[in-house]
Amino acid sequence: ENESSVSITVVGASGDLAKKKIFPALFALYYEGCLPKHFTVFGYARSKMTDAELRNMVSKTLTCRIDQRENCGEKMDQFLKRCFYHSGQYDSQEHFEALDKKLKEHEGGRESNRLFYLSIPPNIFIDAVKCASSSASAASGWTRVIVEKPFGRDSESSAALTKALKQYLTEDQIFRIDHYLGKELVENLSVLRFSNLIFEPLWSRQYIRNVQLIFSEDFGTEGRGGYFDNYGIIRDIMQNHLLQILALFAMETPVSLDAEDIRNEKVKVLRSMRTLRLEDVVIGQYKSHTRGGVTHPGYTDDKTVPKDSVTPTFAAAALFIDNARWDGVPFLMKAGKALHNRSAEIRVQFRHVPGNLYNRNIGTDLDQATNELVIRVQPDEAIYLKINNKVPGLGMRLDRSNLNLLYSTRYSKEIPDAYERLLLDAIEGERRLFIRSDELDAAWSLFTPVLKELEEKRTIPEYYPYGSRGPVGAHYLAARYKVRWGDLG
Ligand code: BG6
């Protein structure tokens, strides 16, 4: 095993994702000593570039995390020496054959294992898979392909993509990334729930009143309008990132921690969900806004976005799981761009204490008295629990205080980027955090009818100013289910 080689070919090497995430993650893994002894990184793209030029491009993206400063420059040089470039078209067998030759030279007769990371637009995806698998797959060891969303835009196109992929690859060669699954606090969800007696028994409709999955960004789609306008926030964030978190949160206890056992439970819970209805969705789009003398552009001010676009940059939705554990519990999602802050969190609101002795000491707002567990995925990773507590003093007044686990004070280690974990897992063949095709089908079936209806009717989004808290429609939607968004206090 030690003498086998692993090559990682980043197809679409000059793209944004490659520069921002993939190369830096590979370097971090190298720094940590996680990459195999004989590894090579190849950048593959259309533009002409020499190895030296690629190294120069990559070197600009590398940083050393705070706890990794030692020998950082030296390590970077060593890493860069293992990086090479190959220029080729994405649909050319010949160009992939030439890549194959170079890979063979690097493998030097060792067992070859090849990972292809496809960081390219969906329209050239299948051609690249076809060429890579037929002209450059490993002669002896494994060949794996990491693919990034969009995995289609609805049930039909996703099924067609899966079918096309399976002409060239088997399901266990396909690693569909959802980078939210690689985030530290998302990984921790199962630990929190399944290894703490004080949480596990509470994880059901009996004690939980509602669950909220909230994603917000304080910047718009600047520069990505062309991609975004074809997808919208429901496809960009909800159908994948938030739904994946929901599935992990709500699944039944898996038989074991094996990838198949976990993914079986995730599919089961996704299949138990009710198809989202139009009346349970609110959509919004941001408008230009001037604050403190600075004007932030509206979504349709982006040159790559049609002036009359009704693509949502914000959405809120109420989802339900029709099974014994979650019957009647609203799972509320909210996702938006160009809002007042950047954050991703899971909020679990518990029921009222029946016959609470202290109700009158809490004031009139009973909602304020329920417990709430907050898992802040980012930034400032934290887990905190809101409890009722007596305000010290001679009287009897209660307030809500936090039992607070803030990662930055508890752990001195920097939290790895999601892509580090995911790349390492793909190299090691660990599939737990990747999306299986049946999960993907189930996820699309939930959202496809509503997406079609919104598009057929050209539903006008509720406009909200750049930098605001989003459309008020989100409050009415929550209120219909007697819920108040936890992030708004
Ligand atoms: C991507 C979306 O999947 O996730 C982007 O396409 C979004 O629109 C990004 O900005 C958010 O990821 P993170 O890790 O920065 O929260």
Side-chain angles (χ1 to χ4, degrees), residues 149 179-180 183 215 217 219 224 227-228 236-237 241 337 342 378:
K149 73 164 205 300
H179 78 284
Y180 265 63
K183 295 200 187 250
F215 167 97
E217 274 180 345
F219 47 90
R224 286 177 80 229
Y227 149 81
F228 192 87
D236 192 47
I237 304 291
H241 303 330
K337 297 205 171 256
R342 174 173 179 262
Q378 67 189 30

Side-chain angles (χ1 to χ4, degrees), residues 10-24:
V10 182
V11 183
S14 42
D16 232 29
L17 183 76
K19 284 196 262 190
K20 280 198 191 130
K21 295 291 183 184
I22 306 172
F23 289 117

Side-chain angles (χ1 to χ4, degrees), residues 88 148 232:
E148 278 274 350

